[in-house]
Coordinates of all heavy atoms in Angstrom, one line a residue:
M283 N -24.3 4.5 -2.6 CA -23.8 3.1 -2.6 C -22.3 3.1 -3.1 O -21.9 3.6 -4.1 CB -24.6 2.2 -3.5 CG -25.5 1.2 -2.9 SD -24.8 -0.2 -2.4 CE -24.5 -1.1 -4.0
I284 N -21.5 2.2 -2.3 CA -20.1 2.2 -2.6 C -19.9 1.0 -3.7 O -20.5 0.0 -3.3 CB -19.3 2.1 -1.4 CG1 -19.3 3.3 -0.6 CG2 -17.9 1.6 -1.7 CD1 -18.6 3.3 0.7
D285 N -19.3 1.3 -4.7 CA -19.1 0.1 -5.7 C -17.6 -0.4 -5.4 O -16.6 0.2 -5.7 CB -19.0 0.7 -7.0 CG -18.7 -0.2 -8.2 OD1 -18.5 -1.4 -7.7 OD2 -18.7 0.1 -9.3
E286 N -17.5 -1.6 -4.8 CA -16.3 -2.2 -4.4 C -15.3 -2.4 -5.7 O -14.2 -2.4 -5.5 CB -16.5 -3.5 -3.7 CG -17.3 -3.4 -2.5 CD -16.5 -2.6 -1.3 OE1 -15.3 -2.6 -1.4 OE2 -17.2 -2.0 -0.5
D287 N -16.0 -2.4 -6.8 CA -15.2 -2.8 -7.9 C -14.8 -1.7 -8.8 O -14.1 -1.7 -9.8 CB -15.9 -3.9 -8.8 CG -16.0 -5.2 -8.1 OD1 -15.1 -5.6 -7.7 OD2 -17.2 -5.7 -8.1
Q288 N -15.2 -0.4 -8.1 CA -14.7 0.8 -8.8 C -13.2 0.9 -8.9 O -12.6 0.7 -7.8 CB -15.3 2.1 -8.1 CG -14.8 3.3 -8.8 CD -15.3 4.6 -8.0 OE1 -16.1 4.5 -7.1 NE2 -14.9 5.8 -8.3
P289 N -12.6 1.1 -10.0 CA -11.2 1.2 -10.1 C -10.7 2.4 -9.3 O -11.4 3.5 -9.6 CB -10.8 1.2 -11.6 CG -12.1 1.1 -12.4 CD -13.2 1.2 -11.4
V290 N -9.7 2.4 -8.5 CA -9.1 3.5 -7.9 C -8.1 3.9 -9.0 O -7.9 5.2 -9.2 CB -8.5 3.2 -6.6 CG1 -8.0 4.5 -6.0 CG2 -9.7 2.8 -5.7
C291 N -7.2 3.0 -9.3 CA -6.2 3.3 -10.2 C -6.5 3.0 -11.7 O -6.8 1.8 -11.9 CB -4.8 2.6 -9.9 SG -3.5 3.1 -11.1
L292 N -7.0 4.0 -12.3 CA -7.4 3.6 -13.7 C -6.3 3.2 -14.7 O -6.5 2.5 -15.6 CB -8.2 4.9 -14.3 CG -9.5 5.2 -13.6 CD1 -9.9 6.7 -13.9 CD2 -10.5 4.3 -13.9
C293 N -5.2 3.6 -14.4 CA -3.9 3.3 -15.3 C -3.7 1.7 -15.3 O -3.4 1.2 -16.3 CB -2.7 4.0 -14.9 SG -2.6 5.8 -15.3
F294 N -4.0 1.2 -14.1 CA -3.5 -0.2 -14.0 C -4.8 -1.0 -13.6 O -4.8 -2.2 -13.3 CB -2.5 -0.4 -13.0 CG -1.1 0.2 -13.5 CD1 -0.7 1.3 -13.1 CD2 -0.5 -0.5 -14.4 CE1 0.4 1.8 -13.5 CE2 0.8 0.0 -15.0 CZ 1.2 1.2 -14.6
D295 N -6.0 -0.3 -13.6 CA -7.3 -1.0 -13.4 C -7.2 -1.8 -12.2 O -7.5 -2.9 -11.9 CB -7.7 -2.1 -14.6 CG -9.0 -2.4 -14.5 OD1 -9.9 -1.7 -13.9 OD2 -9.4 -3.5 -14.9
V296 N -6.9 -1.0 -10.9 CA -6.8 -1.6 -9.7 C -8.2 -1.2 -8.9 O -8.4 0.1 -8.7 CB -5.6 -1.2 -8.8 CG1 -5.4 -2.0 -7.6 CG2 -4.3 -1.5 -9.7
S297 N -9.0 -2.1 -8.5 CA -10.3 -1.7 -7.8 C -10.0 -1.4 -6.4 O -8.9 -1.7 -5.8 CB -11.2 -2.9 -8.0 OG -10.7 -3.9 -7.1
R298 N -11.1 -0.6 -5.9 CA -10.9 -0.3 -4.5 C -10.9 -1.5 -3.5 O -10.3 -1.6 -2.6 CB -11.9 0.6 -4.0 CG -13.4 0.3 -4.3 CD -14.4 1.4 -3.7 NE -14.3 1.4 -2.3 CZ -14.5 2.4 -1.5 NH1 -14.8 3.5 -2.0 NH2 -14.6 2.3 -0.3
R299 N -11.6 -2.5 -4.0 CA -11.5 -3.9 -3.3 C -10.1 -4.5 -3.1 O -9.7 -4.8 -2.1 CB -12.4 -4.9 -4.2 CG -12.6 -6.3 -3.4 CD -13.1 -7.3 -4.2 NE -14.3 -7.0 -4.8 CZ -15.6 -7.0 -4.4 NH1 -15.7 -7.6 -3.3 NH2 -16.6 -6.7 -5.1
K300 N -9.4 -4.4 -4.3 CA -8.1 -4.9 -4.3 C -7.2 -4.1 -3.4 O -6.3 -4.6 -2.6 CB -7.4 -4.9 -5.7 CG -7.9 -6.0 -6.5 CD -7.3 -6.0 -7.9 CE -8.0 -6.8 -8.9 NZ -7.6 -6.4 -10.3
V301 N -7.2 -2.7 -3.4 CA -6.5 -1.9 -2.6 C -6.8 -2.2 -1.0 O -5.9 -2.2 -0.3 CB -6.8 -0.3 -3.0 CG1 -6.1 0.6 -2.0 CG2 -6.3 -0.1 -4.4
I302 N -8.1 -2.1 -0.7 CA -8.5 -2.4 0.6 C -7.9 -3.7 1.2 O -7.5 -3.8 2.3 CB -10.0 -2.2 0.8 CG1 -10.4 -0.7 0.5 CG2 -10.5 -2.7 2.2 CD1 -11.8 -0.4 0.3
Q303 N -8.1 -4.6 0.4 CA -7.6 -5.9 0.6 C -6.0 -5.9 0.9 O -5.4 -6.5 1.9 CB -7.9 -7.0 -0.3 CG -7.7 -8.5 0.1 CD -8.2 -9.4 -0.9 OE1 -8.7 -9.1 -1.9 NE2 -7.9 -10.7 -0.6
F304 N -5.4 -5.2 0.1 CA -3.9 -5.0 0.2 C -3.6 -4.3 1.6 O -2.7 -4.8 2.3 CB -3.4 -4.5 -1.0 CG -1.9 -4.2 -0.9 CD1 -1.0 -5.1 -1.5 CD2 -1.2 -3.1 -0.3 CE1 0.3 -5.1 -1.5 CE2 0.1 -3.1 -0.4 CZ 0.9 -4.0 -0.9
I305 N -4.3 -3.3 1.9 CA -4.0 -2.6 3.1 C -4.4 -3.4 4.3 O -3.6 -3.5 5.3 CB -5.1 -1.3 3.2 CG1 -4.6 -0.2 2.0 CG2 -5.1 -0.7 4.6 CD1 -5.6 0.8 1.8
R306 N -5.3 -4.3 4.3 CA -5.7 -5.1 5.3 C -4.7 -6.2 5.5 O -4.4 -6.6 6.7 CB -7.2 -5.9 5.1 CG -8.3 -4.9 5.1 CD -8.8 -4.8 6.5 NE -9.9 -3.9 6.6 CZ -10.0 -2.8 7.4 NH1 -8.9 -2.4 8.0 NH2 -11.1 -2.1 7.4
T307 N -4.2 -6.8 4.5 CA -3.4 -8.0 4.6 C -1.9 -7.6 4.7 O -1.1 -8.3 5.5 CB -3.6 -9.0 3.4 OG1 -3.5 -8.3 2.3 CG2 -5.1 -9.6 3.5
Q308 N -1.5 -6.6 3.9 CA -0.1 -6.3 3.8 C 0.3 -5.2 4.9 O 1.5 -4.9 5.1 CB 0.4 -5.9 2.5 CG 0.0 -6.9 1.3 CD 0.7 -8.2 1.6 OE1 1.9 -8.3 1.7 NE2 -0.1 -9.3 1.4
K309 N -0.6 -4.4 5.3 CA -0.5 -3.5 6.3 C 0.8 -2.5 5.9 O 1.8 -2.4 6.6 CB -0.3 -3.9 7.7 CG -1.4 -4.8 8.2 CD -1.2 -5.1 9.8 CE -2.2 -6.1 10.2 NZ -3.3 -6.4 9.4
P310 N 0.6 -1.9 4.7 CA 1.7 -0.9 4.2 C 2.0 0.2 5.2 O 1.0 0.6 5.9 CB 1.1 -0.5 2.9 CG -0.2 -0.6 2.9 CD -0.5 -1.8 3.9
T311 N 3.2 0.5 5.4 CA 3.4 1.5 6.5 C 3.5 2.9 5.8 O 3.5 4.0 6.5 CB 4.8 1.3 7.2 OG1 5.9 1.0 6.2 CG2 4.8 0.1 8.0
T312 N 3.6 3.0 4.5 CA 3.5 4.2 3.7 C 2.5 4.0 2.6 O 2.4 2.9 2.1 CB 4.8 4.7 3.1 OG1 5.2 3.7 2.2 CG2 5.9 4.9 4.2
A313 N 1.9 5.1 2.2 CA 0.8 5.1 1.1 C 1.6 4.7 -0.2 O 1.0 3.9 -1.1 CB 0.2 6.4 1.0
S314 N 2.9 4.9 -0.3 CA 3.5 4.7 -1.6 C 3.7 3.2 -1.8 O 3.9 2.7 -2.8 CB 4.8 5.5 -1.8 OG 5.8 5.1 -0.6
Q315 N 3.7 2.5 -0.7 CA 3.7 1.0 -0.8 C 2.6 0.4 -1.4 O 2.7 -0.8 -1.9 CB 4.0 0.3 0.6 CG 5.3 0.6 1.1 CD 5.5 0.0 2.5 OE1 4.7 -0.4 3.2 NE2 6.7 0.2 3.1
L316 N 1.5 1.1 -1.6 CA 0.5 0.6 -2.5 C 0.7 0.3 -3.8 O 0.1 -0.3 -4.6 CB -0.8 1.6 -2.3 CG -1.4 1.7 -0.9 CD1 -2.5 2.8 -0.9 CD2 -1.9 0.4 -0.5
S317 N 2.0 0.9 -4.3 CA 2.4 0.6 -5.7 C 2.7 -1.0 -5.8 O 2.7 -1.5 -6.9 CB 3.7 1.4 -6.0 OG 4.8 0.9 -5.1
E318 N 2.8 -1.6 -4.8 CA 3.1 -3.1 -4.7 C 1.7 -3.8 -5.0 O 1.9 -5.1 -5.2 CB 3.8 -3.5 -3.5 CG 5.1 -3.1 -3.3 CD 5.7 -3.2 -2.0 OE1 5.3 -4.2 -1.2 OE2 6.5 -2.3 -1.6
C319 N 0.7 -3.0 -5.0 CA -0.6 -3.6 -5.2 C -1.0 -3.4 -6.8 O -1.5 -2.4 -7.1 CB -1.7 -3.0 -4.4 SG -3.3 -3.7 -4.7
F320 N -0.5 -4.3 -7.6 CA -0.8 -4.3 -9.0 C -0.3 -3.0 -9.7 O -0.8 -2.5 -10.7 CB -2.2 -4.5 -9.4 CG -2.7 -5.8 -8.8 CD1 -3.3 -5.9 -7.6 CD2 -2.5 -7.0 -9.5 CE1 -3.7 -7.1 -7.0 CE2 -2.9 -8.2 -8.9 CZ -3.6 -8.3 -7.8
G321 N 0.8 -2.3 -9.1 CA 1.2 -1.1 -9.7 C 0.5 0.2 -9.4 O 0.6 1.1 -10.0
A322 N -0.6 0.1 -8.5 CA -1.4 1.3 -8.2 C -0.5 2.5 -8.0 O 0.4 2.5 -7.2 CB -2.2 1.0 -7.0
G323 N -0.9 3.6 -8.6 CA -0.4 4.8 -8.5 C 0.8 5.1 -9.3 O 1.5 6.3 -9.1
T324 N 1.4 4.1 -10.1 CA 2.7 4.4 -10.6 C 2.6 4.8 -12.1 O 3.6 4.9 -12.8 CB 3.5 3.0 -10.6 OG1 2.7 2.0 -11.3 CG2 3.8 2.5 -9.2
G325 N 1.3 5.1 -12.5 CA 1.3 5.7 -13.9 C 1.1 7.2 -13.8 O 2.1 7.8 -13.5
C326 N -0.1 7.7 -14.2 CA -0.1 9.2 -14.3 C -0.1 9.9 -13.0 O 0.1 11.2 -12.9 CB -1.6 9.5 -15.1 SG -2.9 9.1 -14.1
G327 N -0.3 9.1 -11.9 CA -0.4 9.8 -10.5 C -1.7 10.3 -10.1 O -1.8 10.7 -8.9
W328 N -2.7 10.3 -10.9 CA -3.9 10.9 -10.6 C -4.6 10.3 -9.3 O -5.1 10.9 -8.5 CB -5.0 10.8 -11.7 CG -6.4 11.0 -11.3 CD1 -7.4 10.1 -11.3 CD2 -7.0 12.2 -11.1 NE1 -8.6 10.7 -11.0 CE2 -8.4 12.1 -10.7 CE3 -6.5 13.5 -10.9 CZ2 -9.3 12.9 -10.4 CZ3 -7.5 14.5 -10.4 CH2 -8.8 14.3 -10.3
C329 N -4.4 9.1 -9.2 CA -5.1 8.3 -8.0 C -4.3 8.5 -6.7 O -4.9 8.0 -5.7 CB -5.3 6.7 -8.5 SG -3.7 6.0 -8.8
R330 N -3.2 8.9 -6.8 CA -2.4 8.9 -5.5 C -3.1 9.6 -4.3 O -3.0 8.9 -3.2 CB -1.0 9.5 -5.7 CG 0.0 8.5 -6.4 CD 1.3 9.1 -6.7 NE 1.9 8.5 -7.9 CZ 2.8 9.0 -8.6 NH1 3.2 10.3 -8.2 NH2 3.2 8.5 -9.8
P331 N -3.8 10.6 -4.5 CA -4.4 11.3 -3.3 C -5.6 10.4 -2.8 O -5.8 10.2 -1.6 CB -5.1 12.5 -3.8 CG -4.3 12.9 -5.0 CD -3.8 11.6 -5.5
Y332 N -6.2 9.6 -3.7 CA -7.2 8.7 -3.3 C -6.6 7.4 -2.6 O -7.3 6.9 -1.7 CB -8.1 8.3 -4.5 CG -8.8 9.6 -5.1 CD1 -8.3 10.2 -6.2 CD2 -9.8 10.3 -4.4 CE1 -8.6 11.3 -6.7 CE2 -10.3 11.5 -4.9 CZ -9.7 12.0 -6.0 OH -10.1 13.2 -6.6
L333 N -5.6 7.0 -3.2 CA -4.9 5.9 -2.5 C -4.5 6.2 -1.1 O -4.6 5.4 -0.2 CB -3.6 5.4 -3.3 CG -3.9 4.8 -4.7 CD1 -2.5 4.7 -5.5 CD2 -4.5 3.5 -4.6
K334 N -4.0 7.4 -1.0 CA -3.6 7.9 0.4 C -4.7 8.0 1.3 O -4.6 7.6 2.4 CB -2.8 9.3 0.2 CG -2.1 9.7 1.3 CD -1.2 10.8 1.1 CE -0.4 11.1 2.3 NZ 0.5 12.3 2.2
Q335 N -5.9 8.4 0.7 CA -7.0 8.5 1.5 C -7.6 7.2 2.0 O -7.9 7.1 3.3 CB -8.2 9.1 0.6 CG -9.5 9.3 1.3 CD -10.5 9.9 0.3 OE1 -10.3 10.4 -0.7 NE2 -11.8 9.5 0.8
L336 N -7.5 6.2 1.3 CA -7.8 4.8 1.6 C -6.8 4.4 2.6 O -7.2 3.7 3.7 CB -8.0 3.8 0.5 CG -9.1 4.1 -0.6 CD1 -8.9 3.1 -1.8 CD2 -10.5 4.0 0.0
W337 N -5.6 4.5 2.4 CA -4.5 4.0 3.3 C -4.6 4.6 4.6 O -4.4 4.1 5.6 CB -3.2 4.4 2.5 CG -2.0 4.0 3.5 CD1 -1.4 2.8 3.7 CD2 -1.3 5.0 4.3 NE1 -0.4 2.9 4.6 CE2 -0.3 4.3 5.0 CE3 -1.3 6.4 4.5 CZ2 0.5 5.1 5.9 CZ3 -0.5 7.0 5.3 CH2 0.6 6.3 5.9
A338 N -4.9 6.0 4.6 CA -4.9 6.7 5.9 C -6.1 6.5 6.7 O -6.1 6.6 8.0 CB -4.8 8.2 5.7
S339 N -7.1 5.9 6.1 CA -8.5 5.8 6.9 C -8.5 4.5 7.8 O -7.8 3.6 7.4 CB -9.5 5.6 5.7 OG -10.8 5.3 6.5
H340 N -9.2 4.7 8.9 CA -9.5 3.5 9.8 C -10.5 2.6 9.2 O -10.5 1.5 9.6 CB -9.8 4.0 11.2 CG -8.8 4.6 11.9 ND1 -7.5 3.9 12.3 CD2 -8.5 6.0 12.3 CE1 -6.7 4.8 12.9 NE2 -7.3 6.0 12.9
H341 N -11.2 3.1 8.4 CA -12.3 2.3 7.8 C -12.4 2.5 6.3 O -13.2 3.2 5.8 CB -13.7 2.7 8.4 CG -13.8 2.4 9.9 ND1 -13.9 1.2 10.3 CD2 -13.7 3.4 10.9 CE1 -13.9 1.3 11.7 NE2 -13.7 2.5 12.0
P342 N -11.2 2.1 5.6 CA -11.3 2.3 4.1 C -12.5 1.9 3.3 O -12.8 2.5 2.4 CB -10.1 1.5 3.7 CG -9.6 0.8 4.8 CD -10.1 1.2 6.2
E343 N -13.2 0.8 3.9 CA -14.4 0.4 3.2 C -15.4 1.4 3.1 O -16.2 1.5 2.2 CB -15.1 -0.8 3.9 CG -14.3 -2.0 4.2 CD -13.3 -1.9 5.3 OE1 -13.2 -0.8 5.9 OE2 -12.4 -2.8 5.4
S344 N -15.5 2.4 4.2 CA -16.6 3.4 4.0 C -16.1 4.7 3.4 O -16.8 5.7 3.4 CB -17.1 3.6 5.5 OG -16.1 3.7 6.4
E345 N -14.9 4.8 3.0 CA -14.3 6.0 2.4 C -15.1 6.2 1.0 O -15.2 5.3 0.2 CB -12.9 6.0 2.1 CG -12.1 6.0 3.4 CD -12.2 7.4 3.9 OE1 -12.2 8.4 3.3 OE2 -12.3 7.4 5.3
T346 N -15.5 7.3 0.7 CA -16.2 7.6 -0.5 C -15.2 8.2 -1.6 O -14.3 9.1 -1.2 CB -17.4 8.4 -0.5 OG1 -17.0 9.7 0.2 CG2 -18.5 7.8 0.3
L347 N -15.3 7.8 -2.8 CA -14.5 8.4 -3.9 C -15.5 9.1 -4.8 O -16.7 8.9 -4.6 CB -13.8 7.2 -4.7 CG -12.8 6.4 -3.9 CD1 -12.3 5.3 -4.9 CD2 -11.7 7.2 -3.3
P348 N -14.9 9.9 -5.6 CA -15.9 10.6 -6.4 C -16.6 9.7 -7.4 O -16.1 8.6 -7.7 CB -15.0 11.6 -7.4 CG -13.7 11.7 -6.6 CD -13.7 10.3 -5.8
D349 N -17.8 10.1 -7.8 CA -18.5 9.3 -8.8 C -17.5 8.9 -9.9 O -16.7 9.6 -10.4 CB -19.6 10.3 -9.3 CG -20.2 9.8 -10.6 OD1 -21.1 9.0 -10.6 OD2 -19.8 10.4 -11.6
A350 N -17.8 7.6 -10.5 CA -16.8 7.0 -11.4 C -16.7 7.9 -12.6 O -15.4 8.0 -13.1 CB -17.2 5.6 -11.8
A351 N -17.7 8.6 -13.2 CA -17.5 9.3 -14.4 C -16.7 10.6 -14.0 O -15.8 11.0 -14.9 CB -19.0 9.6 -15.0
D352 N -17.1 11.2 -12.9 CA -16.3 12.4 -12.6 C -14.8 12.1 -12.4 O -13.9 12.9 -12.6 CB -16.8 13.1 -11.2 CG -18.2 13.7 -11.4 OD1 -18.6 13.9 -12.7 OD2 -18.9 13.9 -10.5
Y353 N -14.6 11.0 -11.8 CA -13.3 10.6 -11.3 C -12.4 10.3 -12.7 O -11.4 10.8 -12.9 CB -13.4 9.2 -10.6 CG -12.1 8.7 -10.1 CD1 -11.6 9.5 -8.9 CD2 -11.5 7.6 -10.5 CE1 -10.4 8.9 -8.3 CE2 -10.2 7.1 -9.7 CZ -9.8 7.9 -8.8 OH -8.6 7.4 -8.1
A354 N -13.1 9.7 -13.7 CA -12.5 9.5 -15.0 C -12.2 10.8 -15.7 O -11.1 11.1 -16.3 CB -13.1 8.5 -15.9
D355 N -13.2 11.6 -15.6 CA -13.0 13.0 -16.2 C -11.8 13.8 -15.6 O -11.0 14.5 -16.3 CB -14.1 14.0 -16.0 CG -15.2 13.7 -17.0 OD1 -14.8 13.0 -18.1 OD2 -16.4 14.1 -16.8
G356 N -11.8 13.7 -14.3 CA -10.6 14.4 -13.5 C -9.3 13.9 -14.0 O -8.3 14.7 -14.1
R357 N -9.2 12.6 -14.2 CA -7.9 11.9 -14.5 C -7.6 12.4 -16.0 O -6.4 12.7 -16.4 CB -8.1 10.5 -14.6 CG -6.9 9.8 -15.2 CD -6.9 8.3 -14.9 NE -5.9 7.6 -15.6 CZ -6.0 7.0 -16.8 NH1 -7.2 7.0 -17.5 NH2 -5.1 6.3 -17.4
R358 N -8.6 12.5 -16.9 CA -8.3 13.1 -18.3 C -7.7 14.4 -18.2 O -6.8 14.7 -18.9 CB -9.6 13.0 -19.1 CG -9.7 11.8 -20.0 CD -10.8 11.9 -21.0 NE -12.2 12.0 -20.3 CZ -12.9 10.8 -20.0 NH1 -12.4 9.7 -20.1 NH2 -14.1 11.0 -19.4
R359 N -8.4 15.3 -17.4 CA -7.8 16.6 -17.2 C -6.3 16.6 -16.7 O -5.5 17.2 -17.2 CB -8.7 17.5 -16.4 CG -9.9 18.2 -17.0 CD -10.5 19.3 -16.1 NE -10.9 18.6 -14.8 CZ -12.1 18.1 -14.5 NH1 -13.0 17.9 -15.6 NH2 -12.3 17.7 -13.3
H360 N -6.2 15.9 -15.6 CA -4.9 15.6 -15.2 C -3.8 15.3 -16.1 O -2.7 15.9 -16.2 CB -4.9 14.6 -14.0 CG -3.6 14.2 -13.4 ND1 -3.0 15.1 -12.4 CD2 -3.0 13.0 -13.5 CE1 -1.8 14.3 -12.1 NE2 -1.8 13.2 -12.8
R361 N -4.1 14.3 -17.0 CA -3.2 13.8 -18.0 C -2.9 14.9 -19.0 O -1.9 15.0 -19.6 CB -3.7 12.6 -18.6 CG -3.8 11.5 -17.5 CD -4.1 10.1 -18.1 NE -3.0 9.8 -19.0 CZ -2.9 8.6 -19.6 NH1 -3.8 7.7 -19.4 NH2 -1.8 8.3 -20.4
R362 N -3.9 15.6 -19.4 CA -3.9 16.7 -20.4 C -2.9 17.8 -19.9 O -1.9 18.3 -20.5 CB -5.2 17.3 -20.7 CG -5.3 17.8 -22.1 CD -6.7 18.3 -22.5 NE -7.8 17.3 -22.3 CZ -9.0 17.6 -21.6 NH1 -9.2 18.7 -21.1 NH2 -9.8 16.5 -21.5
E363 N -3.1 18.2 -18.5 CA -2.3 19.1 -17.9 C -0.7 18.7 -17.9 O 0.2 19.3 -18.2 CB -2.6 19.3 -16.5 CG -3.8 20.4 -16.4 CD -4.6 20.3 -15.2 OE1 -4.1 19.8 -14.1 OE2 -5.9 20.6 -15.2
Q364 N -0.6 17.3 -17.6 CA 0.8 16.8 -17.6 C 1.4 17.0 -19.0 O 2.6 17.4 -19.1 CB 0.7 15.4 -17.3 CG 0.5 15.1 -15.9 CD 0.6 13.6 -15.6 OE1 0.1 12.8 -16.4 NE2 1.2 13.2 -14.5
K365 N 0.6 16.7 -20.1 CA 1.1 16.8 -21.4 C 1.5 18.2 -21.8 O 2.5 18.4 -22.5 CB 0.2 16.2 -22.4 CG 0.3 14.8 -22.8 CD -0.4 14.3 -23.8 CE -1.1 12.9 -23.5 NZ -2.5 12.9 -23.6
D366 N 0.7 19.1 -21.2 CA 1.0 20.6 -21.6 C 2.3 21.2 -20.9 O 2.7 22.2 -21.3 CB -0.2 21.4 -21.1 CG -1.5 21.1 -22.0 OD1 -1.1 20.4 -23.0 OD2 -2.5 21.6 -21.6
Q367 N 2.8 20.5 -19.9 CA 3.9 21.0 -19.3 C 5.3 20.9 -20.0 O 5.5 20.0 -20.7 CB 4.1 20.4 -17.9 CG 3.1 21.0 -16.8 CD 2.9 20.2 -15.6 OE1 3.7 19.3 -15.3 NE2 1.9 20.5 -14.8
Ligands
FES255 S1 -4.9 6.5 -12.3 FE1 -3.4 5.5 -10.9 S2 -1.6 6.0 -11.7 FE2 -3.0 6.8 -13.3

């Protein structure tokens, strides 16, 4: 089951619903323009591949993201790695 309210960008708490609506209404021509959607992708950067996946899809509503807990864990690792550099 797809949770429409699952945050894609955890830094700015931007849900997939908001991102998909932005894609539908604003028709961004590059994935990076999703930053105009409540700052999505402009924090730690973890969500950028997923934002890109939604942006590139013809049917973003049916794109699956990792399970929310795994997704949050992945971001924690990502941020730890960033700090270690
Ligand atoms: S989760 Fe989106 S920028 Fe950090």
Side-chain angles (χ1 to χ4, degrees):
M283 250 279 288
I284 291 178
D285 175 5
E286 296 297 334
D287 292 314
Q288 178 179 354
V290 179
C291 183
L292 292 165
C293 288
F294 294 99
D295 195 23
V296 187
S297 68
R298 53 179 291 149
R299 186 195 305 277
K300 284 181 193 161
V301 171
I302 291 169
Q303 195 175 351
F304 185 89
I305 292 170
R306 291 270 180 245
T307 58
Q308 307 298 311
K309 304 193 189 339
T311 53
T312 63
S314 62
Q315 285 174 357
L316 291 174
S317 64
E318 292 163 32
C319 179
F320 303 96
T324 60
C326 70
W328 165 250
C329 62
R330 281 182 210 151
Y332 301 100
L333 291 171
K334 195 165 183 183
Q335 182 186 338
L336 293 174
W337 172 79
S339 173
H340 289 294
H341 299 286
E343 301 74 8
S344 48
E345 289 295 318
T346 52
L347 297 178
D349 159 82
D352 291 345
Y353 191 70
D355 276 350
R357 173 173 173 262
R358 262 191 293 279
R359 274 196 302 277
H360 171 77
R361 297 190 61 176
R362 215 175 300 133
E363 280 158 22
Q364 279 181 325
K365 265 188 226 127
D366 291 345
Q367 279 168 13

